[in-house]
């Protein structure tokens, strides 16, 4: 590039998008913590503050910021996932407020599935609840990499360091039993008073560590993917193939493989523009190659795609009714829906986590590296109701 | 790693493609506002180099700003799109539903009836809308693919979970999916995208002089033939722009000197009032106004 052009080039700072969710037992203060994060980081507008202050009878009811449904406000609990947004000078955050109530665990699972960082709340006054343990299990199952344990309601225990430390020990002991592989941080907070949420405050002089805010703004969020370039076919237009990059980087002229076939990728449009490469998450479009049967749901890879019909998966069951031992359902990993027979262990109930066997009616395309990275996620749909009845991650191809 | 805006763009394009490949006959709900204009841009990019494969549906309340309608018609002509206009007035007359009355006769809630009629007439099984979760707290509960039953009703407590954003667009005949590709965008994201992509908008979004009716709480309503003036009302000429564009009867202007996209972005970064709080009379009625409209078939 010519000198004068580089001098004129504007350095545009790239904002990072970070998704965070709150987990923990009902009433441990998840919605209040999100409200506190929003309020103290100046993310709330004056009319919104006025509305929740009226509802709170004079002081802002922080939980009402995200409890967007009338039923939630009247019951004082979060039923379904809500999203809130705020920015710092380097990051844009999507805050996912998930329900703590056992009945709505499937919503917590879904909300948490796309997040980079988890904030697990625990009531310092009550200690670890059954549902806290369940949520930790779900974090492990989802493969969340970074977890902040916020020991909340420190105001109720006189801001005592000994209480905080004993809870930390209890959590660490539990993490050992579930072989958690994520990195963890521990912060004593009071979402109600704001201590250690955005500002460190003066109520706990013994704590000079990070606040919840400084952690979420500072923790590095690197995408961990494989180098294998894999695309999935989203569909075919008149003469155009529409595909999405599932992992790695794809370049025009790359040779892509599927089963015994191969194709040289023509030049393509990435997000509507001609491009020399396309990375994970982006969609591409290219002219339909001749002499190849390309269909929605197929995968093409720079390395290898193999067909599989029998799979093992970790599953979260999401339907209210208890299923029979064998079910005929549809499985989708994002594009095509594949008929599948599901073999369930006995006693599966709503929100249960288990390992199950799946038997596909026709072969489905697999890229080994995606499965090995535990990123081969799916949903199950019941054709009789069209409801999404389960979701999980494929862990092993059996044949 | 994709920067935030590119990530949101990639996610929206992926959702738009799924809408097309999962549903039989999806349409775009087009209001002429910045969000639906951005969505048309995203749909173009999603299917480029081929043409936009969706029809546009405009539920016309008859209370639109003339600038919105002119912009709509220009865009439709430029992109050779098919536009279906469903008139709220016609639907009301046909179904013998009383029209909105009062000082600010908003047909906003009545749009739902017209929308459901249009869906039935054209056989749409899915409608893409520009709704965003940051707009309002009931919208913040919305799924990417949001199921509506035979009556067009939303059941907020029984929504289909969308883990890993995996979308389930399966429905039975007569049911409908509302699709929101901009779910995770904020107002500021939309404006930064408009700047990055150089997207043209109706002039209403930028500062201009306008004769306004000033309400007791300070809200400024564009002087227009549809609101009833009382003898005590005072009209003032102000430098204003609109943050949202809805009906002339329920959309307030804000005082602003922001005359271009850069200035609007700077204004939003320091603004302490939310988008709908600043501009929408229809949301001030109760704290569940949006939830109630949505349950009955609203966008």
């Amino acid at each position: 590039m010519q000198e004068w052009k580089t001098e004129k080039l504007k350095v545009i700072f790239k904002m990072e998008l970070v998704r965070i969710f709150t987990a923990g037992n009902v009433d441990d203060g998840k919605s209040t913590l999100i409200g506190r994060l929003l309020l103290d980081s100046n993310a709330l507008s004056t009319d919104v503050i006025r509305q929740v202050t009226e509802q709170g009878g004079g002081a802002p009811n922080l939980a009402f910021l995200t409890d967007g449904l009338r039923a939630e406000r009247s019951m004082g609990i979060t039923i379904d996932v809500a999203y809130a947004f705020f920015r710092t000078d380097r990051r844009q955050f999507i805050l996912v407020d998930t329900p703590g109530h056992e009945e709505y665990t499937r919503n917590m699972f879904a909300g948490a599935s796309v997040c980079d960082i988890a904030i697990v709340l625990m009531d310092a006054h009550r200690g670890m609840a059954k549902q806290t343990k369940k949520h930790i299990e779900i974090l492990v199952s989802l493969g969340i990499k970074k977890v902040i344990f916020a020991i909340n309601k420190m105001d109720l225990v006189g801001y005592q360091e000994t209480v905080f430390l004993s809870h930390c020990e209890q959590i660490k002991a539990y993490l050992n039993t579930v072989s958690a592989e994520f990195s963890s941080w521990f912060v004593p907070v009071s979402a109600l008073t704001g201590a250690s949420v955005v500002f460190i405050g003066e109520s706990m002089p013994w704590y000079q560590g990070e606040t919840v805010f400084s952690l979420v703004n500072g923790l590095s969020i690197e995408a961990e993917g494989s180098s294998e370039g894999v695309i999935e076919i989203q569909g075919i237009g008149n003469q155009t193939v529409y595909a999405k990059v599932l992992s790695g980087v794809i370049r025009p002229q790359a040779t892509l493989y599927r089963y015994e076939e191969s194709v040289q990728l023509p030049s393509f449009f990435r997000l509507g523009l001609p491009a020399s490469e396309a990375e994970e998450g982006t969609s591409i479009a290219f002219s339909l190659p001749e002499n190849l049967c390309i269909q929605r749901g197929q995968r093409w890879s720079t390395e290898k795609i193999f067909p599989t019909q029998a799979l093992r998966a970790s599953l979260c069951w999401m339907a209210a009714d208890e299923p029979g031992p064998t079910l005929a359902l549809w499985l989708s990993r994002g594009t095509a829906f594949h008929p599948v027979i599901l073999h369930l262990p006995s006693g599966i109930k709503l929100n249960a986590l288990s390992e199950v066997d799946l038997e596909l009616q026709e072969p489905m395309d697999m890229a080994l590296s995606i499965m090995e990275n535990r990123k081969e996620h799916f949903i199950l749909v019941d054709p009789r109701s069209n409801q999404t009845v389960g979701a999980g991650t494929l862990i092993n191809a059996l044949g | 790693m994709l920067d935030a805006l590119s990530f949101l763009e990639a996610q929206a394009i992926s959702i738009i493609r799924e809408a097309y490949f999962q549903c039989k006959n999806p349409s775009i709900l087009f209001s002429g506002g910045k969000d639906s204009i951005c969505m048309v841009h995203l749909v173009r990019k999603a299917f480029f180099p081929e043409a936009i494969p969706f029809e546009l549906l405009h539920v016309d309340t008859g209370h639109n700003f003339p600038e919105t309608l002119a912009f709509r018609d220009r865009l439709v002509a430029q992109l050779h799109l098919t536009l279906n206009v469903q008139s709220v007035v016609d639907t009301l007359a046909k179904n013998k539903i009383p029209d909105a009355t009062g000082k600010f006769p908003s047909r906003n809630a009545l749009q739902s009836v017209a929308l459901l009629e249009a869906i039935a007439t054209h056989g749409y099984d899915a409608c893409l809308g520009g709704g965003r979760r940051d707009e309002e707290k009931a919208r913040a509960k919305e799924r990417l693919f949001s199921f509506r039953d035979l009556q067009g009703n939303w059941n907020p407590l029984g929504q289909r979970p969308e883990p890993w954003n995996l979308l389930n667009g399966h429905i039975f005949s007569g049911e409908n999916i509302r699709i929101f590709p901009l779910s995770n965008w904020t107002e500021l994201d939309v404006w930064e995208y408009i700047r990055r992509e150089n997207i043209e908008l109706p002039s209403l979004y930028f500062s201009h002089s306008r004769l306004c009716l000033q309400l007791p709480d300070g809200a400024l309503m564009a002087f227009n033939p549809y609101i009833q003036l009382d003898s005590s009302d005072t009209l003032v000429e102000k430098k204003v722009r609109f943050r949202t564009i809805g009906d002339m009867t329920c959309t307030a202007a804000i005082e602003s000197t922001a005359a271009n996209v850069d200035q609007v972005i700077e204004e939003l970064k320091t603004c302490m009032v939310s988008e709908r709080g600043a501009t929408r009379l229809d949301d001030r009625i109760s704290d569940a106004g949006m939830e109630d409209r949505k349950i009955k078939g609203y966008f």
Side-chain angles (χ1 to χ4, degrees):
Chain A
M1 198 178 282
Q2 289 172 21
E3 191 85 2
W4 61 272
K5 271 191 179 167
T6 30
E7 273 175 8
K8 275 196 168 178
L9 265 182
K10 233 194 210 167
V11 179
I12 299 169
F13 183 74
K14 302 283 187 197
M15 293 286 269
E16 276 182 319
L17 189 75
V18 177
R19 290 167 293 184
I20 306 169
F21 73 100
T22 51
N25 194 24
V26 64
D27 270 345
D28 280 1
K30 294 178 294 298
S31 302
T32 307
L33 181 85
I34 286 201
R36 174 59 65 184
L37 267 173
L38 294 171
L39 183 70
D40 285 359
S41 60
N42 278 329
L44 294 178
S45 50
T46 48
D47 54 307
V48 172
I49 295 173
R50 189 170 57 237
Q51 193 182 41
V52 293
T53 304
E54 280 165 16
Q55 288 166 342
N61 184 328
L62 296 173
F64 281 3
L65 285 167
T66 52
D67 285 341
L69 301 175
R70 184 181 275 135
E72 296 180 315
R73 292 191 292 278
S74 67
M75 288 157 75
I77 60 167
T78 306
I79 294 172
D80 205 342
V81 180
Y83 301 83
F85 304 83
F86 79 105
R87 288 180 176 213
T88 64
D89 52 1
R90 59 186 296 249
R91 284 187 165 171
Q92 286 178 227
F93 293 95
I94 301 180
L95 289 175
V96 182
D97 188 20
T98 67
H101 202 280
E102 194 177 355
E103 192 183 338
Y104 308 114
T105 304
R106 66 171 198 174
N107 293 334
M108 178 270 174
F109 180 97
S113 63
V114 293
C115 288
D116 308 295
I117 300 174
I119 303 174
V120 179
L121 276 96
M122 199 179 97
D123 184 334
H125 191 54
R126 291 187 301 184
M128 193 143 56
K130 190 175 137 210
Q131 191 67 352
T132 320
K133 293 181 178 172
K134 171 105 188 187
H135 282 189
I136 293 172
E137 255 182 77
I138 291 175
L139 303 187
V140 173
S141 160
L142 289 171
I144 304 288
K145 296 280 189 291
K146 297 190 160 65
V147 182
I148 300 166
F149 288 95
I151 313 302
N152 190 26
K153 306 196 185 180
M154 287 299 292
D155 50 307
L156 293 184
V157 296
Y159 296 108
Q160 289 177 73
E161 185 177 16
T162 47
V163 176
F164 170 66
L165 291 177
S166 81
H167 285 317
C168 295
E169 287 315 310
Q170 196 193 0
I171 293 170
K172 284 175 190 164
Y174 181 69
L175 293 183
N176 283 332
T177 67
V178 292
S179 47
E181 287 173 1
F182 47 71
S183 315
S184 41
W185 291 264
F186 297 85
V187 187
V189 307
S190 168
L192 194 68
T193 67
S196 315
V197 179
V198 176
F199 305 111
I200 194 85
E202 288 165 2
S203 45
M204 290 177 283
W206 48 266
Y207 181 76
Q208 291 302 321
E210 303 258 17
T211 62
V212 172
F213 177 84
S214 68
L215 280 171
V216 297
N217 198 33
L219 292 180
S220 71
I221 306 296
E222 288 117 25
E224 290 174 31
S226 80
S227 57
E228 181 183 1
V230 182
I231 60 169
E232 183 161 271
I233 308 300
Q234 292 168 296
I236 317 287
N238 294 324
Q239 278 304 314
T240 307
V241 180
Y242 296 105
K244 184 173 176 176
V245 182
L246 297 181
S247 81
V249 174
I250 293 285
R251 295 185 176 84
Q253 269 62 64
T255 305
L256 298 182
Y257 302 91
R258 176 177 183 268
Y259 305 175
E260 303 305 318
E261 287 183 310
S262 68
V263 63
Q264 193 179 35
L265 193 66
S267 58
F268 56 70
F269 296 96
R270 168 193 172 275
L271 303 173
L273 291 169
S276 56
E277 57 178 47
E279 63 277 67
E280 185 180 325
T282 58
S283 291
I284 60 172
F286 53 90
S287 312
L288 189 63
E290 286 172 22
N291 308 322
L292 265 184
C293 176
I294 295 203
Q295 283 180 339
R296 177 167 157 85
Q298 282 181 357
R299 289 181 175 187
W300 291 82
S301 161
T302 53
E303 288 171 29
K304 186 180 165 65
I305 296 291
F306 64 94
T308 179
Q309 276 190 268
L311 289 151
R312 190 148 185 85
S314 67
L315 177 77
C316 177
W317 186 251
M318 295 176 162
D321 38 322
E322 222 167 293
T326 306
L327 293 169
L329 302 168
W330 288 319
L331 176 149
S332 172
R333 298 178 296 176
T335 63
F337 283 75
H338 308 270
V340 65
I341 304 290
L342 175 68
H343 301 284
L344 285 165
S346 61
I348 291 283
K349 289 195 185 77
L350 175 67
N351 300 318
L353 295 175
S354 64
E355 287 203 1
V356 296
D357 289 323
L358 300 164
E359 197 185 311
L360 289 149
Q361 301 300 89
E362 285 165 4
M364 185 169 78
D365 290 5
M366 294 294 290
L368 200 56
S369 62
I370 297 181
M371 192 164 62
E372 284 172 351
N373 282 323
R374 308 253 326 177
K375 285 188 169 180
E376 194 66 90
H377 310 301
F378 65 90
I379 51 171
L380 294 172
V381 172
D382 188 337
R384 291 163 301 177
S385 64
N386 286 332
Q387 289 296 316
T388 303
V389 294
T393 305
L394 301 176
I395 49 182
N396 209 350
L398 307 171
Chain B
M1 211 162 97
L2 292 171
D3 66 276
L5 202 54
S6 301
F7 179 92
L8 293 171
E9 180 189 41
Q11 187 181 55
I13 285 178
S14 183
I15 294 165
I16 289 164
R17 286 189 179 178
E18 276 312 299
Y20 181 66
F21 291 111
Q22 282 199 34
C23 307
K24 290 188 186 76
N25 187 18
S27 63
I28 300 175
L29 293 174
F30 187 80
S31 70
K34 64 184 187 314
D35 303 314
S36 53
I37 292 168
C38 273
M39 200 163 60
V40 169
H41 182 82
L42 285 160
V43 173
R44 272 182 85 189
K45 291 186 93 173
F47 297 103
F48 195 80
E50 295 188 10
I52 290 180
F54 305 126
E55 290 180 350
L56 260 53
L57 172 64
H58 183 212
V59 178
D60 183 357
T61 59
H63 289 164
N64 287 289
F65 286 93
E67 293 92 333
T68 311
L69 296 181
F71 186 92
R72 176 196 76 185
D73 294 340
R74 208 165 64 240
L75 188 77
V76 165
Q78 265 172 15
L79 299 179
H80 310 289
L81 299 171
T82 303
L83 170 73
N84 292 312
V85 177
Q86 180 73 33
S87 158
V88 173
V89 178
D90 291 353
T91 303
L92 296 182
K94 196 174 126 193
N95 297 290
K96 300 197 171 59
I97 298 169
D99 198 356
T101 53
K103 186 170 174 62
F104 302 104
S106 171
R107 293 185 183 136
N108 199 352
L110 298 170
Q111 286 182 91
S112 309
V113 192
L115 173 63
L116 296 178
E117 184 173 320
I119 286 172
T121 308
H122 301 286
Y124 297 136
D125 59 342
C127 300
L128 291 95
R132 309 188 322 264
R133 286 167 173 163
D134 88 316
E135 280 180 78
E136 204 278 338
K137 60 183 182 297
R139 281 236 157 111
K141 294 279 171 179
E142 189 59 91
R143 296 287 193 263
L144 303 174
F145 270 34
S146 180
F147 176 79
R148 297 291 187 277
D149 68 14
L150 285 171
Q151 284 74 42
N153 295 344
W154 181 51
N155 175 9
L157 300 183
Q159 301 199 77
R160 296 176 178 179
E162 292 177 340
W164 300 285
N165 296 331
L166 298 176
L167 305 168
N168 171 9
H170 281 275
I171 53 170
F172 295 114
S173 174
E175 297 170 341
N176 193 267
I177 299 277
R178 303 287 165 80
I179 297 171
F180 300 104
L182 303 184
S183 285
N184 291 325
W185 297 47
T186 63
E187 183 186 15
L188 196 51
D189 294 326
V190 169
W191 277 99
E192 288 178 341
Y193 190 67
I194 287 163
R195 174 162 69 184
R196 198 189 86 179
E197 301 287 308
N198 205 12
I199 296 170
E200 200 193 336
L201 292 183
S203 56
L204 296 162
Y205 282 108
F206 304 103
S207 179
H208 57 279
S209 284
R210 184 176 285 269
L211 197 56
C212 296
L213 166 64
Q214 188 145 27
L215 304 184
D217 66 356
L220 292 167
M221 304 295 294
F223 172 60
N224 68 71
Y226 311 114
I227 54 181
Q228 294 172 12
L229 286 187
D230 299 329
S231 54
S232 59
D233 287 333
T234 44
L235 292 173
V236 286
E237 174 131 352
K238 295 269 188 188
K239 284 280 230 186
V240 297
R241 69 175 200 90
F242 292 89
R243 271 175 85 178
T244 66
I245 298 182
D247 275 9
M248 294 178 88
T249 54
C250 69
T251 311
I254 56 165
E255 280 199 79
S256 169
T257 55
N260 57 44
V261 178
D262 282 331
Q263 288 170 3
V264 169
I265 288 173
E266 282 317 302
E267 180 185 275
L268 288 176
K269 281 182 174 167
T270 53
C271 177
M272 286 310 292
V273 182
S274 75
E275 187 181 16
R276 295 190 81 87
T279 63
R280 299 306 280 254
L281 299 188
D282 44 332
D283 286 344
R284 296 186 189 179
I285 299 160
S286 84
D287 72 314
M290 175 68 88
E291 181 181 350
D292 292 341
R293 286 201 305 278
K294 284 181 74 65
I295 286 171
K296 295 193 186 105
Y298 193 70
F299 310 139

